[in-house]
Amino acid sequence: MSLPVRSFLLFGLFSLLITMGCGDSHLPPDTLLKSSILGNDSEAKLRILGNKQINLDEDPDLETLVLSQSKQSETLAAFSKRKGEWTFLWKITFNMQTLGDYYYDGKSLNWVAGTAPGSEKSAMEGDCIKRIVLAELPGDQFNSVFVEILSEEPPLGLFSIPMGYRKGKKILDGLALLKDHENTIKKKKVPFEYVPKEKSIRVFPNEVSYSIEFVYNGWEMIPQINGQPIPSLLETKIEPPLEIGKESKVTLTFKNRGGSSGLTYLSFSFPNSPDVHLEGNNPYFKLYSIASPVYHNIQKKKVSSEVPLIEQTKEGWGTNFKSSISFYLTPVSKTTKVLFRVSYRAYREDFHLPDQFSVANPEIDQQGFYAYPISL
């Protein structure tokens, strides 16, 4: 990922007592480093600022996270070594107008040029990358990467914002969510911490009136808001395994990691058009077969359903309570997926997850709503 050149991005050091104990033996060959990070710019100089061995994906073997600097950019890149062979996994590149030390002045509530009195650069710290937090998310046995960004945009000047990445993909965009927050405008800094018990990220952790917790729902980090459910996919059961032309029972289990909600709808559509049906007569589950009338969010009217749709109604869903849905599915192609979304009512208004601000690259379902894909 490459951010706009006009943005000056500042990150930080590992909060988990990371040192340079790995040594160069854990670095990929120079040729792989340069080709992976610099691409075709073979003439550019690459300076390695630090590296760390840590688990960054489902594979139990450790990966190597490398921090480097070249020209007006710094890059976080991940590599793996399997059976003696190095492989490039992903990179996140941050471009900026200038390189140089900046630190946060607590008295003036501003970022100022220079080095904080009495402080020294730590391992895995560069001119623009100053803080990195590695932490596990719910359901993961590996670490995601959270960083603090210093962005420069008028009229705010320099201000820090958290960003999050899981396996190299963005799951938290503090720039979009917190840039206009009144405390960001006032203090020019959005401190954050990892909450081990909840495996979540909390911004403004020491200020009760401004503190916001972000939880992971399986696709992205969602802010905790009163009355907003955050269904987090816990488990997918398929018995027997999917096979074209044969029926399987699919059970999806969610946990509400958000707030207690009132009327909530969980919608599941099947863009591959498999044969889908429910068992029994449950008033809280409704199946809309092909050609059934369904509401279209963009056209603002009812249209004929093009693919099967199941809607689950919950009249109340408490925090940390689980909910499951089971349906029978006969796949008609090798690729079978479900498009999932949640709608809820709060403060006399209707809200939806995901929405247009999602960083998880949601798809559009047949009703014109953003939806998360679930691969079966």
Side-chain angles (χ1 to χ4, degrees), residues 2 7 10 20 36 62 95 144 185 233 243 250-251 285 304 334 356 359:
S2 180
S7 293
L10 183 68
M20 289 290 287
S36 302
L62 297 182
N95 299 318
S144 293
I185 297 172
L233 183 61
E243 187 176 347
V250 179
T251 301
F285 296 89
S304 294
K334 292 182 179 180
Q356 68 270 32
V359 299

Side-chain angles (χ1 to χ4, degrees), residues 77 103 116 168 206 214 242 277 306 353 365 370:
Y103 73 96
N206 298 319
F214 289 83
L242 292 182
H277 69 89
E306 298 177 353
L353 288 176
D365 67 12
Y370 292 94

Side-chain angles (χ1 to χ4, degrees), residues 159-289:
F159 60 98
S160 76
I161 289 291
M163 305 285 283
Y165 302 87
R166 180 178 182 269
K167 295 193 294 185
K169 294 183 178 180
K170 188 193 298 181
I171 56 172
L172 172 63
D173 188 346
L175 193 62
L177 295 171
L178 298 166
K179 181 180 67 175
D180 298 322
H181 192 283
E182 60 178 309
N183 210 32
T184 305
I185 297 172
K186 176 183 177 182
K187 296 188 175 181
K188 306 295 193 298
K189 182 176 174 64
V190 183
F192 70 92
E193 68 177 14
Y194 174 66
V195 184
K197 182 179 179 181
E198 300 297 332
K199 294 189 175 182
S200 61
I201 293 293
R202 183 177 293 139
V203 301
F204 305 123
N206 298 319
E207 301 178 76
V208 176
S209 58
Y210 292 114
S211 182
I212 305 173
E213 189 168 5
F214 289 83
V215 301
Y216 184 63
N217 69 347
W219 295 272
E220 60 184 326
M221 306 292 288
I222 303 291
Q224 284 267 27
I225 301 173
N226 287 338
Q228 173 181 267
I230 303 178
S232 180
L233 183 61
L234 292 183
E235 185 181 39
T236 301
K237 275 187 178 181
I238 304 176
E239 299 175 339
L242 292 182
E243 187 176 347
I244 294 177
K246 294 186 179 180
E247 183 178 87
S248 295
K249 181 180 181 181
V250 179
T251 301
L252 304 175
T253 302
F254 296 86
K255 178 181 179 181
N256 180 16
R257 303 194 67 235
S260 296
S261 65
L263 188 60
T264 304
Y265 299 97
L266 280 67
S267 298
F268 307 85
S269 61
F270 303 84
N272 302 101
S273 300
D275 179 22
V276 179
H277 69 89
L278 297 168
E279 185 178 56
N281 185 18
N282 189 321
Y284 297 106
F285 296 89
K286 185 173 182 179
L287 172 64
Y288 296 84
S289 56

Side-chain angles (χ1 to χ4, degrees), residues 327-344:
F327 50 86
Y328 292 85
L329 181 149
T330 303
V332 295
S333 64
K334 292 182 179 180
T335 302
T336 301
K337 68 179 177 181
V338 180
L339 292 182
F340 164 71
R341 62 179 172 85
V342 58
S343 303
Y344 65 97

Side-chain angles (χ1 to χ4, degrees), residues 23 27 30 32 38 48 65 156 167 172 181 239 274 291 298 344:
L27 278 174
D30 290 345
L32 179 60
L38 300 179
I48 303 301
L65 188 66
L156 289 181
K167 295 193 294 185
L172 172 63
H181 192 283
E239 299 175 339
I298 298 175
Y344 65 97

Side-chain angles (χ1 to χ4, degrees), residues 114-172:
T115 303
S119 68
E120 296 181 0
K121 280 192 177 182
S122 303
M124 294 294 285
E125 180 180 359
D127 289 336
C128 68
I129 295 183
K130 298 292 186 183
R131 185 169 181 246
I132 303 172
V133 174
L134 298 177
E136 290 184 2
L137 294 174
D140 290 344
Q141 300 300 317
F142 56 88
N143 293 280
S144 293
V145 180
F146 296 91
V147 291
E148 185 176 354
I149 304 172
L150 187 62
S151 178
E152 184 178 31
E153 293 187 16
L156 289 181
L158 296 175
F159 60 98
S160 76
I161 289 291
M163 305 285 283
Y165 302 87
R166 180 178 182 269
K167 295 193 294 185
K169 294 183 178 180
K170 188 193 298 181
I171 56 172
L172 172 63

